[in-house]
Amino acid sequence: MVTLADVARRAGVSPSTVSYVLSGKRAISAPTRERVERSIRELGYHPDLRARALASRRSDILALMVPLRTDLYLPVMMEISLAVATAARAHGYDVLLLTGEEGPAGVRRVADGVRADGVVLMDVQLDDARLPPLRDLGLPAVLIGLPAEPAGLNCVDLDFTAAGSLCVDHLARLGHRELAVLGEAPAVYERGTGFAERTLAGIRERAGAAGMRLLHRPCQGGYPEVAHTLDRILDERPGTTAFVLQNEHAVEPLLSLLRQRGRAVPEDVSVVAVCPDQVAEHAPVPLTSVSLPAEGLGRLAVERLVTQLADAPGGGWARDGVLLLPPVLTVRDSSGPAPAPGPPH
Amino acid sequence: MVTLADVARRAGVSPSTVSYVLSGKRAISAPTRERVERSIRELGYHPDLRARALASRRSDILALMVPLRTDLYLPVMMEISLAVATAARAHGYDVLLLTGEEGPAGVRRVADGVRADGVVLMDVQLDDARLPPLRDLGLPAVLIGLPAEPAGLNCVDLDFTAAGSLCVDHLARLGHRELAVLGEAPAVYERGTGFAERTLAGIRERAGAAGMRLLHRPCQGGYPEVAHTLDRILDERPGTTAFVLQNEHAVEPLLSLLRQRGRAVPEDVSVVAVCPDQVAEHAPVPLTSVSLPAEGLGRLAVERLVTQLADAPGGGWARDGVLLLPPVLTVRDSSGPAPAPGPPH
DNA sequence: TAGTCGTATCGAAGCGCTTCACTGAGCAGA
DNA sequence: TCTGCTCAGTGAAGCGCTTCGATACGACTA
């Protein structure tokens, strides 16, 4: 193994000089730099990152805690993770992959063992058990999601409240008066996952303002579950002409079942979803949707974390707090004017 | 920060003793061990993993290279990744997340910088550019997938050839004589992704032996693409009564389109898929399928890598070479006896 | 000409842990 | 009684890099 000392010897300089050439933290004359660089090239030297991490007290590693859940939509989690990895690399960091399974213990492990300089947390609950250790240990962090108490925390998320409002605005403008929300799985609400609640809050508020009737039903993905939920909705509110959908697993079943029930989309019923563009575009009927900017969230999280690390290497707290991305609604084929009131189906 | 030296001082022993208590590499008398352990507890000591990595020449980190592709089925990649992370933790390792984007350079970076003790490679091509650096640098590795030249490499994969055969056997036994294969996206074949070819080989061989007519069409996911491919197939071979499906993105569209075309599943047409059980179970018609054991592959890869590291810490090559998991076919609702020959549709 | 400053480089002291060679003490066998 | 073990524990030398003074030297200023 070639070490920095070998490089120094061959270049006829001291090790510190080589180090400074590498880090650029001190001025080095052109001829010396050249000699060192040649020596590096000729020996095929690569710095040992472990030694660097120990001496410099920074590992150039970011930890990423990915949820290990079956009720979330994996492609979104995957896309965020890959965006985090890619963005981190672009900033010279590597990414350590932790699973949500580890919970607060994982945060402690990383902080205590100084494995990473900072951490990105996904799938943040309103009352997230990982936050106390984060605060105690002063580990620089960015959350993708919004806890109940975000004070002093660096958070990034889609503005789901505004997203919900946006969906309702769109439907209200089209003349719809009876709205049903097909939400995430019950477990998602039960464990206090903020984004589901926030979307609903946005929907509720705007529906109330617009004088629309509203029904909300959590819903597991899968045909039988969606069928059951849909039938209940149509039974209780036969006049429902609009759906807001926040569960990627329910997209195919819902569209398929609506057709089976004889409701044409968008002629009889409009559907607006909150989901990734890819899902909206590839649905049997391309969906009018508010896009879930998975890639953007991942990238943003890394950028904020990197900034934080540069500003306060020790682990000072974030300056800018919460950043909510404004939602964007794209009109596709699944939404249209409310049908003229006619005889119930 | 509490260091090992602090612990030693408080316990009244030398640092090496503390180290040995921690690692268990030497016998320590019960009373001494107790004193050290108490001292650790009282000081809240946690070893600095960077320092440990430097001194012990192992980082207890495994690198995982995840593909960054849009034509693969993300949930499978995600499931494998999470299984790798979980299994690694169970063996005391952390996981470094690399993206396929980095290619051979990523392998070099990890090896040169000694960031990880070994690497798990996903999405292995027949002629994979990451293998030469792997061999040159002697980095312990396990591939999930099978390259063209697996000699001396530690590989884990589903036996896709056998999986293909199994599908055909099942259909042949049900009396089907005309078979169509809806494969992965063309790009997947073009870049030489072994598993797609191997499945096809298994199908071809067995179809030939059974005297079945066979048609293979690569197919992108999505409705328009599947519709186009399906129509071509039914046009060229109107008598087709059986489909083998190897593209998760095509599941919903295919079933939906078959129904639209007036072909009942399984009465008129049987469909057998190679896909994760979850996909098969949640399809509109639960699919007879050969399961893709994503979780198992991830776990297995880690176990083999960990074994390899224990056996030959320096990075000797694997002993057992290639391990192909036997495929398992589960009969569900999408396959049935071939319909009696009748007038073409 | 002496004093001052800035620049380029060096030396050495770490970073916190592991590990090897060694020391004593206790004990069995001869 | 002496030898030869084993068992517990110690000390010190690293692991390969960073970083903080200190130094040497030429160029300016006064």
Side-chain angles (χ1 to χ4, degrees):
Chain A
M1 178 177 209
V2 186
T3 72
L4 179 142
D6 299 331
V7 173
R9 208 167 306 124
R10 170 179 255 260
V13 300
S14 83
S16 53
T17 302
V18 177
S19 177
Y20 286 125
V21 166
L22 250 33
S23 68
K25 290 189 180 173
R26 283 210 183 165
I28 299 287
S29 69
T32 307
R33 189 203 326 290
E34 296 254 308
R35 282 216 318 290
V36 170
E37 276 164 358
R38 185 147 44 79
S39 170
I40 288 178
R41 245 177 293 120
E42 289 170 359
L43 292 176
Y45 167 73
H46 294 274
D48 183 320
L49 300 179
R50 299 169 303 184
R52 175 174 288 179
L54 178 58
S56 69
R57 329 192 61 52
R58 47 203 314 283
S59 55
D60 291 330
I61 292 181
L62 306 179
L64 169 69
M65 202 151 175
V66 180
L68 197 62
R69 302 195 181 278
T70 54
D71 52 11
L72 294 175
Y73 188 60
L74 284 186
V76 170
M77 302 302 134
M78 187 72 174
E79 209 185 327
I80 295 179
S81 307
L82 291 174
V84 166
T86 305
R89 282 304 308 141
H91 290 275
Y93 285 87
D94 264 311
V95 170
L96 201 69
L97 181 66
L98 309 180
T99 65
E101 201 185 28
E102 291 201 61
V107 172
R108 271 199 217 92
R109 202 165 55 75
V110 165
D112 290 337
V114 237
R115 271 252 132 121
D117 298 335
V119 60
V120 174
L121 254 42
M122 293 174 60
D123 187 34
V124 176
Q125 313 301 121
L126 286 173
D127 179 21
D128 202 298
R130 296 168 296 182
L131 301 186
L134 219 55
R135 300 188 131 112
D136 292 353
L137 302 170
L139 182 66
V142 172
L143 318 193
I144 299 182
L146 200 56
E149 272 314 334
L153 292 172
N154 202 337
C155 305
V156 170
D157 207 354
L158 174 65
D159 188 339
F160 280 97
T161 311
S165 303
L166 204 51
C167 292
V168 175
D169 283 348
H170 175 69
L171 292 167
R173 216 172 295 124
L174 289 169
H176 295 272
R177 319 302 307 163
E178 294 214 29
L179 175 62
V181 179
L182 219 67
E184 297 280 358
V188 175
Y189 295 91
E190 277 156 23
R191 68 170 184 262
T193 305
F195 78 90
E197 293 288 359
R198 277 148 55 212
T199 309
L200 193 57
I203 292 173
R204 283 228 171 89
E205 183 270 329
R206 205 52 62 94
M212 296 169 82
R213 293 185 76 193
L214 176 62
L215 209 60
H216 170 243
R217 294 282 175 269
C219 181
Q220 205 104 17
Y223 278 79
E225 293 86 353
V226 175
H228 177 244
T229 310
L230 178 60
D231 288 341
R232 253 185 76 201
I233 293 174
L234 293 181
D235 190 44
E236 295 177 50
R237 294 274 173 88
T240 299
T241 63
F243 285 85
V244 174
L245 181 54
Q246 184 174 210
N247 181 346
E248 289 85 352
H249 295 294
V251 169
E252 300 266 1
L254 178 64
L255 292 176
S256 179
L257 287 161
L258 282 173
R259 215 177 51 189
Q260 284 176 36
R261 303 287 186 274
R263 315 254 176 162
V265 173
E267 290 78 4
D268 301 327
V269 162
S270 286
V271 177
V272 177
V274 180
C275 67
D277 282 337
Q278 227 224 347
V279 171
E281 285 161 9
H282 287 80
V285 180
L287 292 176
T288 295
S289 72
V290 170
S291 45
L292 199 59
E295 197 268 337
L297 285 174
R299 192 165 21 82
L300 213 59
V302 167
E303 276 158 15
R304 300 192 111 212
L305 187 49
V306 168
T307 307
Q308 186 178 338
L309 289 172
D311 291 359
W317 286 110
R319 281 203 311 254
D320 351 17
V322 175
L323 174 61
L324 295 183
L325 298 182
V328 177
L329 183 137
T330 305
V331 178
R332 298 197 182 81
D333 305 349
S334 68
S335 62
H345 268 75
Chain B
M1 176 175 210
V2 186
T3 72
L4 180 142
D6 298 331
V7 173
R9 208 167 306 123
R10 170 179 256 260
V13 300
S14 82
S16 53
T17 302
V18 176
S19 178
Y20 287 126
V21 167
L22 250 33
S23 68
K25 289 189 179 173
R26 287 219 182 158
I28 299 289
S29 70
T32 308
R33 189 201 329 288
E34 296 255 308
R35 284 218 314 292
V36 169
E37 277 164 357
R38 185 147 44 78
S39 170
I40 288 178
R41 244 177 294 119
E42 289 169 358
L43 292 175
Y45 167 72
H46 294 274
D48 183 319
L49 300 179
R50 298 168 304 185
R52 174 175 287 178
L54 178 58
S56 69
R57 330 192 60 52
R58 48 203 312 283
S59 56
D60 292 329
I61 292 181
L62 306 179
L64 169 69
M65 202 152 174
V66 180
L68 199 61
R69 301 193 182 279
T70 54
D71 53 10
L72 293 175
Y73 188 60
L74 284 186
V76 169
M77 302 301 135
M78 187 70 174
E79 210 185 326
I80 295 179
S81 307
L82 291 174
V84 166
T86 305
R89 281 306 307 142
H91 290 275
Y93 286 86
D94 264 310
V95 169
L96 201 69
L97 182 66
L98 309 180
T99 64
E101 199 185 27
E102 291 201 61
V107 171
R108 270 198 219 93
R109 203 165 56 76
V110 165
D112 290 337
V114 236
R115 271 252 134 121
D117 298 335
V119 61
V120 174
L121 256 42
M122 293 173 61
D123 187 34
V124 176
Q125 314 300 123
L126 286 173
D127 180 21
D128 202 298
R130 297 168 296 181
L131 301 186
L134 220 54
R135 300 188 131 111
D136 292 352
L137 302 170
L139 182 66
V142 172
L143 318 193
I144 299 183
L146 200 56
E149 272 314 334
L153 291 172
N154 202 339
C155 305
V156 171
D157 208 354
L158 175 64
D159 188 339
F160 280 98
T161 311
S165 304
L166 203 52
C167 292
V168 175
D169 282 348
H170 175 69
L171 292 166
R173 216 171 296 124
L174 289 169
H176 295 272
R177 320 300 310 161
E178 294 214 28
L179 176 61
V181 178
L182 219 68
E184 296 281 358
V188 175
Y189 295 91
E190 278 157 23
R191 68 170 184 262
T193 305
F195 78 89
E197 293 288 359
R198 277 149 57 212
T199 309
L200 194 57
I203 291 173
R204 283 227 170 89
E205 183 270 329
R206 205 51 65 94
M212 298 169 80
R213 294 186 75 193
L214 176 62
L215 209 61
H216 170 243
R217 294 284 176 269
C219 180
Q220 205 107 14
Y223 278 80
E225 293 87 353
V226 175
H228 176 244
T229 309
L230 178 60
D231 289 342
R232 254 186 75 201
I233 292 174
L234 293 182
D235 190 44
E236 296 177 50
R237 294 275 173 87
T240 298
T241 62
F243 285 84
V244 174
L245 181 54
Q246 184 174 211
N247 182 346
E248 289 84 353
H249 295 296
V251 169
E252 300 266 2
L254 179 63
L255 292 176
S256 179
L257 288 160
L258 282 173
R259 215 177 51 190
Q260 284 176 37
R261 303 288 186 274
R263 316 251 176 164
V265 173
E267 291 78 3
D268 301 328
V269 161
S270 286
V271 176
V272 177
V274 180
C275 68
D277 282 337
Q278 229 225 346
V279 171
E281 285 161 8
H282 287 80
V285 180
L287 292 176
T288 294
S289 72
V290 170
S291 44
L292 199 61
E295 197 268 337
L297 285 174
R299 194 165 21 80
L300 213 59
V302 167
E303 276 159 14
R304 299 192 111 213
L305 187 49
V306 169
T307 307
Q308 186 178 336
L309 289 173
D311 292 358
W317 286 109
R319 280 201 312 256
D320 353 19
V322 175
L323 173 61
L324 295 183
L325 298 182
V328 176
L329 183 135
T330 304
V331 178
R332 298 198 181 81
D333 306 349
S334 67
S335 62
H345 268 76

